[in-house]
Amino acid sequence: MSSRLRFPHEKVTVTWLERRHSLTHARANMSLSAARARTHSNASTFTPCRPRDVRAVSRTRRVSLATLVPRASICGIDLGTTNSAVAVVRDGKAVIVPCQGYRTIPSVVSYTPDGAVLVGHEARKRLSADPRNTFHSVKRLIGKKFKNAKHMAREFPYRVISHPKTKFAAMCGVGGDGKDFVVLPEEVSAHVLRTLLDAAEADLGVPVDKAVITVPAYFDDRQMAATEEAGRLAGLKTVRLLKEPVAAALAYGVDVDEDETVFVF
């Protein structure tokens, strides 16, 4: 909400955050003008002085408020089939942020019998001990209908089923109580993304709610929509997808001013 304060010969628009400051400044000028008027016996009337620096004060106040509130940053994420990584821009250059002590983490998520969720290196250690509840390579299933992914089901140690509501490919694990639970690939990917975002936030010292995520060139609309949903589940407000060949070309400094064909392999 904004309000308008009227001064002689000019209208100055200020926000409600600045209103108190502006009113205080105006009253101070009016009191000063009244004091000056009383010192001149021939002055029958006086006009309150317009606070000429209200706009300057407003600009200064907006700047100071902006510096007090940490701005959210953006990061780039390579959400891979086998491994994933996160990078931020520092001094004009992209820098990979270490996560769990490494430049990359395995794209693996494990659900333990006690309800805990392990991500990355700790989850990979459970591939042999608990293969039915340790999900990897879910990027191959994300955004696919089960009928289109059924031929891949035998390649995974965990069960791949058709989601009872959406009919998309999903994974079925066994909880600590012996009951089955269903989890979607985007939910598993969200755990990987959240782990990478935590590392980026710890490195930058500010919240990160925007990210550019790379996807394969062959991803269709459903697969890209599922990847965006994984980002939202991880807490991202804004997700932008970038095809992996384009990301590779940009990473190697390809600056195309005209239409060109770039070979990426």
Side-chain angles (χ1 to χ4, degrees), residues 96-164:
I96 293 180
V97 177
C99 183
Q100 298 180 347
Y102 299 88
R103 288 169 58 87
T104 64
I105 63 171
S107 303
V108 183
V109 175
S110 181
Y111 296 83
T112 64
D114 59 358
V117 179
L118 304 179
V119 181
H121 294 279
E122 291 298 322
R124 187 171 61 179
K125 296 177 182 178
R126 293 178 53 82
L127 281 172
S128 299
D130 191 8
R132 292 193 61 181
N133 295 322
T134 303
F135 305 116
H136 61 90
S137 303
V138 300
K139 186 176 178 179
R140 299 173 60 190
L141 301 172
I142 193 169
K144 285 187 175 182
K145 289 286 188 178
F146 176 72
K147 63 180 180 180
N148 298 326
K150 189 177 359 182
H151 66 282
M152 295 187 294
R154 66 187 67 176
E155 301 176 14
F156 301 105
Y158 48 81
R159 289 176 57 198
V160 178
I161 64 171
S162 175
H163 193 277

Side-chain angles (χ1 to χ4, degrees), residues 27-107:
R27 292 190 185 105
N29 277 336
M30 292 174 65
S31 299
L32 180 60
S33 299
R36 289 174 177 173
R38 284 194 296 269
T39 60
H40 296 80
S41 58
N42 58 350
S44 57
T45 59
F46 71 92
T47 302
C49 295
R50 180 178 62 86
R52 294 182 295 275
D53 59 342
V54 165
R55 284 171 292 183
V57 170
S58 300
R59 286 194 297 270
T60 303
R61 187 170 178 81
R62 282 194 291 269
V63 171
S64 62
L65 286 173
T67 57
L68 291 176
V69 180
R71 293 184 178 181
S73 297
I74 187 170
C75 67
I77 296 177
D78 177 14
L79 184 60
T81 304
T82 306
N83 296 291
S84 298
V86 61
V88 298
V89 175
R90 187 179 295 124
D91 298 328
K93 296 182 179 181
V95 179
I96 293 180
V97 177
C99 183
Q100 298 180 347
Y102 299 88
R103 288 169 58 87
T104 64
I105 63 171
S107 303

